[in-house]
Amino acid sequence: MSIADKSPVDEALRSLPSVDRLLSDDRIRRLEAESSRAAVVELVRAELAESRAAVRDGARPPALAELVTAIQERAGSEWRASPSAVINATGVILHTNLGRAPLSVEATLAVRRAAQGYSDLELDLETGKRGSRHSHVSRLIQRVTNAEAGIAVNNNASAVMLGLAAIAAGRQVIVSRGEAVEIGGGFRIPDVLRQSGAELVEVGATNRTYARDYEAAINDATGAILVVHASNFKVSGFTHSPALTELVEVGRRSGVPVLHDLGSGCLLDTTRHGLAHEPMPQESIAAGVSLAFVSGDKLLGGPQAGIIAGTAEMVERVSGHPLARAVRIDKLSMAALSATLLHYVRGEAELKIPIWRMVSAEPDEVKTRARALAEALGGETRPGRSAIGGGSLPGETLPTTLVSMSCEAHGGAEDLAARLRRGRPPVIGRIEGRAVLLDLRAVLPEQDDELVRAAVGAMAAG
Ligand SMILES: *Cc1c(COP(=O)(O)O)cnc(C)c1O
């Protein structure tokens, strides 16, 4: 025996089970049913390599049972399809971190249909000739916005970028100083303009801009007037911005198109639900803008997408631009968008589109569900407010009933919230003071039973 062989570390390393020993364990062998033998061997090797490294650093060698559990957990995390479904009990309807708008049943089925088989994505079934990908939503966009033409692209950020590149590259674009801002993570109007090859000309003051400010800035190099909706912040008090119709009139006098980035893509009147008015693309089109840009997964309630609606001439310039190919929408989003827009055409948006079901849920209905949840969890109810979120209607809230979970017996609010988050399915609530609060507004009634089970499980785990 050499001296090295006698070291405690070597002894500890030798005490670790072999790959074969682990592979012959019933619990590990059962993992093969979930994937393949090769994948299991890889997991076992990775876990053993980690244990060996830890032992060399002085850790105690894990027992067989500990290794088996660690390998099972490794399988659970490495083989889990991601992103995982979670229950949104935050009370924020359009939660960017939770994937913005959930799709309707019909939109989900449309995605599945488009995903599982072939489709007439770019084939005209009548003529047998090549068709346009845009044909699936163009007519629907025209219907819901009353625009002459429309197309869909990857998201609204790319829609705005594409629109500016196609209409105003190499020219000046006039923007109100109060609108040359950052709209959500990394979408800064000055940067977008630069990237699209246009030159930003800011006019007015941060709080007040008049039609005459735009008019004074127009010259031979002007390519467009861009209006950006302040969708995630509010300027209040001594403010002024001109009506769209005034700007369209200013533009018309000089032959300058007005482009409108609305953001949220709200096609229904939010004031009917006690909320502030959110600008609607059909209003922009009626006011005479040349192009309106909206998002697919905010208040439209569909998939990630960007919609460009406007005059036939302008939309044709946009769809013919080389960037259009770079930001094109994929077939799954196209299918979901088409199914979502159909809900509006059929007049059933508030019945079928999840986020509109949530916005339009009656406070009494939420209260009844909250009471049942509180009873199941041994919690209490209290009145509160839900938010729209997702860069729409900043500061606007809807009345709701919150379920306050008692945390004392569960290691405090942070602990209970963490256990809810790690549950199956994960439940995301909010912490306020010493309580974990669950808001049912962004939970669909068909998810209530699942929420009870997950929350009861999280409480029992503590
Ligand atoms: C959200 C938003 C965007 C970006 O839209 P995405 O679909 O997220 O790319 C652009 N402009 C405005 C005004 C917005 O509110």
Side-chain angles (χ1 to χ4, degrees), residues 9 40 90 162 173 192 226 300 306 328 336 444:
V9 166
V40 176
T90 62
L162 170 62
V173 173
V192 172
L226 174 66
L300 194 97
R328 84 173 178 191
L444 290 171

Side-chain angles (χ1 to χ4, degrees), residues 119-442:
S119 65
D120 63 345
L121 185 68
E122 293 186 0
L123 178 72
D124 184 330
L125 293 176
E126 280 303 315
T127 63
K129 296 209 168 79
R130 177 167 185 173
S132 159
R133 167 182 300 250
H134 292 299
S135 67
H136 305 281
V137 290
S138 288
R139 288 268 300 282
L140 295 170
I141 294 171
Q142 290 165 35
R143 280 282 292 281
V144 298
T145 64
N146 300 318
E148 282 173 21
I151 58 166
V153 295
N154 181 61
N155 60 357
N156 191 36
S158 57
V160 175
M161 172 89 89
L162 170 62
L164 288 167
I167 306 302
R171 306 180 66 78
Q172 295 181 349
V173 173
I174 306 172
V175 182
S176 161
R177 207 171 295 280
E179 296 173 6
V181 294
E182 174 167 330
I183 314 271
F187 188 74
R188 286 194 172 159
I189 293 299
D191 295 340
V192 172
L193 272 162
R194 201 171 311 119
Q195 288 298 327
S196 67
E199 183 194 339
L200 168 67
V201 175
E202 287 185 48
V203 296
T206 308
N207 58 336
R208 291 173 87 87
T209 305
Y210 300 89
R212 61 173 183 271
D213 295 324
Y214 289 87
E215 189 143 38
I218 291 180
N219 61 53
D220 288 347
T222 304
I225 289 172
L226 174 66
V227 181
V228 183
H229 177 49
S231 46
N232 57 355
F233 68 100
K234 224 168 162 171
V235 184
S236 55
F238 187 61
T239 64
H240 180 84
S241 46
L244 268 184
T245 46
E246 284 181 81
L247 288 186
V248 167
E249 191 41 48
V250 165
R252 191 169 289 152
R253 282 200 287 273
S254 318
V256 172
V258 174
L259 315 182
H260 191 196
D261 175 14
L262 290 94
S264 86
C266 184
L267 290 166
L268 301 178
D269 182 3
T270 46
T271 63
R272 289 186 38 231
H273 301 290
L275 297 166
H277 178 70
E278 177 73 10
M280 301 194 275
Q282 55 271 51
E283 294 168 345
S284 306
I285 297 299
V289 306
S290 296
L291 291 177
F293 308 98
V294 306
S295 206
D297 54 356
K298 292 184 181 171
L299 283 171
L300 194 97
Q304 177 188 304
I307 290 175
I308 306 177
T311 64
E313 185 213 334
M314 288 289 173
V315 171
E316 201 174 309
R317 271 169 71 184
V318 168
S319 55
H321 190 275
L323 252 188
R325 175 62 180 80
V327 299
R328 84 173 178 191
I329 188 169
D330 84 297
K331 64 181 180 182
L332 305 187
S333 306
M334 178 69 90
L337 182 60
S338 163
T340 305
L341 291 173
L342 265 176
H343 291 313
Y344 290 96
V345 169
R346 293 200 189 111
E348 60 186 23
E350 287 185 356
L351 290 176
K352 302 274 192 168
I353 297 178
I355 62 135
W356 282 102
R357 288 176 62 194
M358 294 163 184
V359 169
S360 62
E362 290 296 335
D364 276 351
E365 183 193 323
V366 180
K367 188 192 272 179
T368 306
R369 292 168 55 210
R371 283 188 174 152
L373 178 64
E375 194 160 314
L377 302 182
E380 282 166 8
T381 60
R382 66 159 110 141
R385 312 290 298 183
S386 315
I388 305 298
S392 305
L393 291 163
E396 291 293 311
T397 57
L398 293 161
T400 194
T401 302
L402 302 166
V403 174
S404 170
M405 294 176 73
S406 67
C407 302
E408 278 70 46
H410 301 284
E414 295 284 349
D415 258 33
L416 181 56
R419 260 180 284 122
L420 283 165
R421 223 168 43 232
R422 293 178 199 131
R424 294 270 168 94
V427 174
I428 318 296
R430 62 179 201 242
I431 297 176
E432 229 174 80
R434 296 229 203 109
V436 172
L437 302 177
L438 303 179
D439 183 343
L440 288 176
R441 180 160 300 268

